[in-house]
Amino acid sequence: LHPLNAAVRSYILQQVQDGLNDATVTSLVLTGGTQHFSAGADLTEFATFTPETLAAATKSGGDTAPTTTITLIDVVQVLEDSTKPIVAAIAGTCLGGGLELALACHYRVALKSKQTKLGLPEVHVGVIPGAGGTQRLPKVIGLAQACQLILTGASLSAEAARELKLVDDVVETPQELLPKAQQWASWAEATMPLEKDPSTGRRLGRRALAESPPMAHNILAQAQLALPRQGIQGMEAALRALRACTQLPLEQGMRVESQAFVETLMSEEGKARRHAFFAVRQAQKLVHPHLRKTVLAQQQALLGKVKTTKSDNKMTV
């Protein structure tokens, strides 16, 4: 599922930087293959963080790792700031940090499949998106839809994501995914340099929110009123980060998001949710295959309360 641990983050960043520094490369495609894009953070890393290292990461604007390592924020910032178009080719799981990677790309192509899911389910494990998810998602699908996805941890199919303009194109077969992404990259090579208005451009962090301040205030107020009465620390933290998206520029909004992420990560509620998540996962290994659907359903109820190639001057990571 391509968890975004330190080694994977470092690999992606190095490959992207190599492509940006190579004059023969004119665009890039980021893909996890035809099975899965990325399931997001490696949750086992969370147990290695201390209050001291997390405090240092927050002060520097980092996300889920000490400042001596490459954070996911480092990676997404390089992707979004790239002067060469970057297209995400999405298949299978694209959740959490995986979707944050895709949001930092300039275009997104997804495979139509029952396995393709896009979302930010961090509330299920007691944290919030920590690499710009609360700051970029509202700018592409709208604040109300972003609140719904982030606060419930729900996911979207490829077709639903296209309807919301979260993805730009959908392909029917795995064989079409990479060629279609390369087509979008070729088209983007000609169009991206012509962007004069960043508020409507393909770099979502620089894009303006569609909602007016009064409308955004009403949406967030309604979301606050709809929260359950208990076990909502992660949801409240997510709302705080979403509110920052409506009031602050990207850099300041990212800092609010990082602080909220650290708070939820170190909270007792967050630790309890992750304990439950890992306990259910361990139990699944001991359950007869015919009973696994039942265990998965129980898990949802519980938690609810790389290869590099070049082709036609396009680099595929």
Side-chain angles (χ1 to χ4, degrees):
L1 296 178
H2 308 309
L4 296 170
N5 55 37
V8 173
R9 295 193 300 269
S10 178
Y11 174 82
I12 294 173
L13 184 62
Q14 185 61 58
Q15 297 303 313
V16 170
Q17 288 176 331
D18 287 348
L20 296 178
N21 294 330
D22 188 336
T24 68
V25 173
T26 53
S27 59
L28 298 93
V29 174
L30 183 65
T31 179
T34 57
Q35 295 298 314
H36 294 287
F37 188 74
S38 173
D42 183 349
L43 297 184
T44 60
E45 280 191 339
F46 289 176
T48 67
F49 302 152
T50 66
E52 291 75 19
T53 56
L54 286 169
T58 302
K59 289 178 181 178
S60 65
D63 61 337
T64 63
T67 53
T68 54
T69 69
I70 293 171
T71 72
L72 192 55
I73 285 180
D74 295 329
V75 180
V76 299
Q77 202 60 59
V78 169
L79 292 174
E80 184 167 89
D81 290 344
S82 168
T83 56
K84 299 177 182 180
I86 302 180
V87 181
I90 300 166
T93 303
C94 181
L95 299 174
L99 181 57
E100 289 176 308
L101 275 180
L103 286 168
C105 296
H106 308 117
Y107 297 87
R108 290 161 289 280
V109 178
L111 171 65
K112 179 181 176 181
S113 165
K114 292 181 179 180
Q115 285 71 45
T116 299
K117 296 179 181 179
L118 300 91
L120 295 171
E122 283 87 347
V123 292
H124 291 321
V125 290
V127 293
I128 72 166
T134 65
Q135 306 302 296
R136 292 185 175 91
L137 188 63
K139 297 177 180 180
V140 65
I141 69 172
L143 182 60
Q145 289 286 351
C147 284
Q148 195 275 333
L149 284 181
I150 292 172
L151 297 178
T152 65
S155 59
L156 298 170
S157 66
E159 291 176 298
R162 178 171 57 181
E163 290 178 6
L164 292 175
K165 299 183 179 180
L166 178 56
V167 301
D168 300 285
D169 206 349
V170 171
V171 298
E172 298 287 333
T173 67
Q175 293 76 19
E176 297 175 275
L177 182 60
L178 185 56
K180 179 62 70 173
Q182 291 172 331
Q183 288 178 17
W184 275 89
S186 295
W187 178 76
E189 288 172 13
T191 60
M192 272 192 63
L194 300 179
E195 289 184 359
K196 296 181 179 180
D197 184 2
S199 67
T200 58
R202 303 301 305 192
R203 295 177 177 89
L204 298 181
R206 304 179 191 177
R207 186 182 290 187
L209 197 67
E211 292 82 2
S212 66
M215 185 181 299
H217 175 80
N218 288 338
I219 291 171
L220 293 171
Q222 291 174 14
Q224 180 75 49
L225 290 173
L227 294 181
R229 293 186 178 182
Q230 295 180 334
I232 62 171
Q233 184 174 359
M235 298 178 190
E236 289 180 328
L239 270 178
R240 189 161 73 248
L242 286 162
R243 186 171 290 107
C245 173
T246 71
Q247 299 173 344
L248 301 172
L250 178 65
E251 291 77 13
Q252 295 178 37
M254 291 282 286
R255 189 172 297 279
V256 172
E257 181 189 76
S258 293
Q259 292 171 344
F261 173 86
V262 170
E263 290 173 13
T264 54
L265 179 65
M266 301 305 294
S267 71
E268 292 303 315
E269 180 182 314
K271 293 175 183 177
R273 284 182 176 270
R274 287 189 296 282
H275 176 80
F277 176 85
F278 284 117
V280 173
R281 177 179 286 184
Q282 184 64 29
Q284 289 172 0
K285 298 177 182 179
L286 307 175
V287 174
H288 190 278
H290 295 305
L291 298 178
R292 282 180 184 161
K293 287 186 179 180
T294 301
V295 173
L296 286 172
Q298 292 174 342
Q299 177 189 31
Q300 290 300 319
L302 177 64
L303 295 177
K305 298 186 177 173
V306 193
K307 177 181 176 181
T308 304
T309 60
K310 292 182 184 178
S311 176
D312 297 329
N313 295 330
K314 294 167 185 58
M315 182 171 176
T316 301
V317 179

